[in-house]
Amino acid sequence: MAAQLAQFFCDGFKCSDSATLLRFKTKSLRNAAAVNGKFPLIVYLTAFNGMSYENFTLFEALAEKGFVVLSISSIGRFPGDMTMKKADLMEQVNDAVAALAVLKQNSSIDFNNIGIAGYSWGGLAGAVLAGKILNAKCLVSLEGSEFHHYGNAKSENADFDAIRNSKDFENIHLTIPYMRLESAPSVQPDKIDSVYNFTANHVENAQIFTIDSAQHEDFDCFSLVARKSGNCTINQHYNSALKLTVGFLEDHLKNKNNFANIVGQEINKTIKKK
């Protein structure tokens, strides 16, 4: 299974081979000694059917900056038959709530200082979660599905409408800072009739950026890692998303006040403000 997944990524990004990719060295250390102190917590929610390691380079970058990261897989209701139904969305949200309850035993986490981040379907789950937990200070959406693109996929449209019309979604009113990063593919393969504007209906303090020429798959680390392992041209789209995400979270959870500088470095070079 690992070899098949690795080959899937290599074929998709047209770089490396499965054996080389599986030998890729992360920056993570098994059983590393803990550092004393209390640290902000980032709750990360993965994409549709995504596993908890899907963005490990982002997690490593956050850990280096002094964050604890909790990553929640998206596998749906038992036995893991994931769908776009509300019940499967809420399974991921409830998994996050349960994991937070367990982590309360960890004295190194500052539970008054929590950030939420999610990719794709996980962005939608993150938006729901933000309305359910205390002390969430900010939210990052990496092309999250809370902005639904209506088109020809009638069953997906119906599933989103069921979520949108639910109390869990209707009651979302975020006063915390919200940042969304979007792709800007040169070719749009699917006809889009309309887009549900999540921020207009649910968010008071929003910043939205588009990353030039980025594809949807550029927001998890496999697009970077596959290229690195095969010594191909590095994916600057992912690096831009990583810089903005880390900078935004540092601003709102560590009072670094450097996010504006990062935006200034990237604006009109790799990103545009929407």
Side-chain angles (χ1 to χ4, degrees):
M1 179 64 75
Q4 289 176 355
L5 282 171
Q7 193 59 53
F8 170 81
F9 291 124
C10 293
D11 292 344
F13 298 116
K14 297 178 175 58
C15 183
S16 196
D17 59 76
S18 60
T20 303
L21 179 56
L22 289 172
R23 290 195 299 268
F24 182 85
K25 296 294 184 183
T26 74
K27 293 182 179 179
S28 302
L29 299 174
R30 188 190 299 272
N31 299 323
V35 178
N36 291 328
K38 278 190 174 293
F39 305 97
L41 175 67
I42 306 300
V43 183
Y44 178 90
L45 297 112
T46 69
F48 185 85
N49 229 10
M51 303 308 292
S52 58
Y53 52 79
E54 75 174 14
N55 235 332
F56 68 83
T57 52
L58 170 62
F59 306 157
E60 290 171 343
L62 289 168
E64 286 180 338
K65 296 292 187 179
F67 292 99
V68 175
V69 182
L70 167 66
S71 181
I72 306 295
S73 297
S74 171
I75 57 176
R77 291 161 289 175
F78 182 83
D81 297 326
M82 187 65 188
T83 74
M84 292 185 175
K85 303 294 184 186
K86 177 179 179 284
D88 289 313
L89 170 73
M90 295 308 298
E91 192 77 3
Q92 188 180 24
V93 173
N94 293 333
D95 282 349
V97 172
L100 284 166
V102 172
L103 283 182
K104 287 281 184 159
Q105 304 168 28
N106 191 322
S107 60
S108 65
I109 297 174
D110 179 2
F111 283 96
N112 293 313
N113 221 7
I114 298 175
I116 300 172
Y119 166 44
S120 192
W121 187 252
L124 172 57
V128 176
L129 178 66
K132 289 184 171 292
I133 64 172
L134 297 174
N135 302 320
K137 297 294 178 63
C138 59
L139 173 62
V140 176
S141 174
L142 303 175
E143 194 147 272
S145 300
E146 70 276 16
F147 276 73
H148 179 72
H149 294 70
Y150 287 94
N152 295 327
K154 293 182 179 179
S155 62
E156 292 182 11
N157 296 338
D159 286 342
F160 179 77
D161 282 341
I163 293 169
R164 173 181 166 181
N165 294 322
S166 70
K167 291 299 181 185
D168 289 299
F169 193 87
E170 286 182 343
N171 291 338
I172 298 173
H173 179 75
L174 301 179
T175 58
I176 60 176
Y178 165 98
M179 180 183 72
R180 175 177 171 83
L181 302 181
E182 295 183 347
S183 66
S186 55
V187 177
Q188 180 57 256
D190 300 317
K191 182 179 182 298
I192 296 174
D193 296 329
S194 62
V195 179
Y196 179 73
N197 190 334
F198 174 77
T199 53
N201 296 297
H202 301 278
V203 182
E204 289 188 10
N205 180 7
Q207 295 188 74
I208 303 177
F209 300 93
T210 58
I211 300 182
D212 291 345
S213 302
Q215 305 289 328
H216 184 70
E217 59 267 25
D218 287 325
F219 292 95
D220 70 35
C221 69
F222 298 123
S223 60
L224 175 74
V225 171
R227 292 182 173 99
K228 269 190 172 183
S229 69
N231 294 317
C232 299
T233 303
I234 297 303
N235 182 358
Q236 295 303 327
H237 305 127
Y238 180 82
N239 283 336
S240 294
L242 188 148
K243 284 181 191 176
L244 289 164
T245 299
V246 173
F248 183 83
L249 293 171
E250 280 198 297
D251 252 31
H252 295 291
L253 298 174
K254 286 178 166 286
N255 299 315
K256 289 293 186 180
N257 297 318
N258 194 40
F259 181 65
N261 292 333
I262 297 171
V263 171
Q265 293 166 10
E266 298 291 322
I267 201 79
N268 297 326
K269 183 173 71 173
T270 58
I271 66 170
K272 293 179 181 177
K273 194 161 188 178
K274 189 172 178 181

